Each structure stands twice: as C-alpha cells, then as structure tokens.
Amino acid sequence: MKIAAAALLLAASANAFTAPRVHNSRTATSLSVAQADLDGAQGMIDDILKTKNCGPVFVRLAWHDSGTHDCNVKEEWPASGGAIGSIRFDPEINHGANAGLAGAVKILEPVKEKYPEVSYADIFQMASARGIELAGGPKIDMKYGRVDATGPEMCSPEGNL
C-alpha cells in the first residue's frame, strides 16, 4: 500500500517537470542530459537495488528531497524547493525527519561520480522510481533534466523540511 501511494505521488510529480531543453547551454531550471548517461545511471541504480535491497529508502530519499516544494513561494527557482538535490546538504540532511537518509545519498555517490552530468535530483528521483518498478510496482514515467541546488544556502527553510 505504501509503495502504491508513493508511486502515485511520484507519477504525479513527474508531470510537474518540463522536458529537458534540447540545446547545449544550461539554463536556470533545466539541463540537457545525454540518453547514454541516463541509461548508464539507471543500470548502476538497478544493480544497487538488486544487490543492496534499498528500494524503500530510495523512495523515502526522493520523497524527502521533493517534499520541500512550497507552491506559495512565488520567487524564481530554487526558492520554492522541490526535487533539487538539496537534501544532500546540511541542514536538510541532518533534519530529524531525514534521519538515515545520508546513507542513501552515500550509496548513490558512485552513480554521480560515473555520470556527473546527471543531477543528484535526477539520480534520487530515478532511484525511487526504479525501486518501485523493480519491486513489482508500476513503471513511472519521468522527465529528466532537473538542476541541482549548489549549496546549503539553497536548502528550504525550516518550515518546509
């Protein structure tokens, strides 16, 4: 039941992102990511999921990274939070509700090291979606090209954590 609910929420949030722009320059809100890099990252994530049985913690990681979104914030990105990879920074990663998620980030570090053009935000969301699918849940269509927060100053305020 919990996996089904998470799958529905991830599927709904996936539609909130626009497709990555197809050009060589990076923009403030979208990256162009090579399909080969996405395929490679997915292969590594699938191997991690199969060997470490960590799908549920990846779902939780993606949920907590994206759960900082505040639709009432009308400022430009990244002020409204969301799936921006900011959970890897203090104070977010050390917030009480995120206890244990630093280990999930660490497990995914080799994916980021091998495929640096794939954002942390995309890796976290991909790991969650793949965890659900490999556990027998539905395939969750994703659009990739999220831009990462670059430092702790981009973390959401305490009320959004």
Side-chain angles (χ1 to χ4, degrees):
M1 180 65 174
K2 290 181 183 178
I3 288 180
L8 288 173
L9 288 168
L10 280 171
S13 68
N15 291 329
F17 294 96
T18 60
R21 295 188 174 99
V22 182
H23 53 71
N24 292 329
S25 64
R26 294 183 179 190
T27 64
T29 59
S30 183
L31 296 173
S32 293
V33 183
Q35 188 63 48
D37 287 342
L38 291 171
D39 292 343
Q42 180 177 314
M44 284 186 74
I45 288 168
D46 287 358
D47 289 343
I48 292 167
L49 286 161
K50 291 172 185 172
T51 58
K52 297 190 181 290
N53 194 26
C54 50
V57 75
F58 287 169
V59 171
R60 186 168 165 251
L61 175 65
W63 176 273
H64 282 247
D65 188 42
S66 64
T68 59
H69 177 70
D70 185 345
C71 65
N72 295 315
V73 173
K74 301 302 179 200
E75 297 173 47
E76 299 223 0
W77 179 93
S80 61
I84 60 173
S86 60
I87 197 166
R88 69 191 195 281
F89 297 116
D90 187 28
E92 263 184 66
I93 196 64
N94 292 317
H95 189 274
N98 296 333
L101 294 178
V105 172
K106 186 176 180 179
I107 290 169
L108 291 168
E109 278 296 333
V111 179
K112 180 63 176 172
E113 289 169 10
K114 187 160 184 178
Y115 299 99
E117 295 301 313
V118 181
S119 68
Y120 279 101
D122 281 348
I123 290 169
F124 298 161
Q125 298 305 315
M126 179 186 287
S128 176
R130 295 300 298 157
I132 290 167
E133 185 175 352
L134 292 176
K139 177 175 178 15
I140 300 170
D141 290 329
M142 288 283 187
K143 294 180 182 176
Y144 296 102
R146 293 167 186 83
V147 175
D148 283 331
T150 57
E153 68 281 353
M154 295 177 127
C155 290
S156 292
E158 173 61 31
N160 287 14
L161 298 180

